Amino acid sequence: MGWQTDQFGSDHEGYAVAVMGDGTEPAPIKGNSAWWLYDGQDGWPRAVAVRAGCACGWRSSEMFPVDVTDHDGTEGFEYGSDAPFPYGAWERQHIAPLLGTAVPEDLTDAIATVRRLLAGLTSSRPIAATAAAAEVEKLGSAALQRAVTAARDNGGSWEDIGQALGTSRQAAHQRFAKALFRG
């Protein structure tokens, strides 16, 4: 069994897909296409990488190293959606857009720029970096509260909000329910 979400179940079940040296996916071995079967043993082909795949046919363009002795490490499920493994790619590139939770690329780039600029400023002018980081923190806190309020006003569940925050439904509710922004 692969990776599933409560929202999509087996319709968008994710899994690691074997990739051959020429970039293709191999034919199933005796009806099974599990990536770890392609280890070069018993006359079967050897996978050079894996990519994220979904039951709907989606595939990541990104490829990841294979370790036939470490199935969990190759798939990356235990490392979460931010880690550079097939599971993370499936979550970030396929599931998040389907759920409408993907951060737009231009905003992701802007956040990365702010991080880079703050890191540089911290080295050269730490007091100025402190003031700038405080402004970012104020902006972030207010924006987060408004976003949670908008999500609730638009029918978003505490489960959805918790998932977007990387926390539980209960933790999201406890943090934001009493102070929904109405201004």
Side-chain angles (χ1 to χ4, degrees), residues 66-106:
V66 171
D67 182 349
V68 294
T69 64
D70 183 5
H71 296 186
D72 292 339
T74 297
E75 293 181 9
F77 177 77
E78 69 274 10
Y79 300 112
S81 61
D82 291 332
F85 295 97
Y87 175 79
W90 172 76
E91 280 254 314
R92 284 187 317 276
Q93 298 169 19
H94 186 56
I95 297 300
L98 290 173
L99 292 172
T101 59
V103 177
E105 191 173 329
D106 59 343

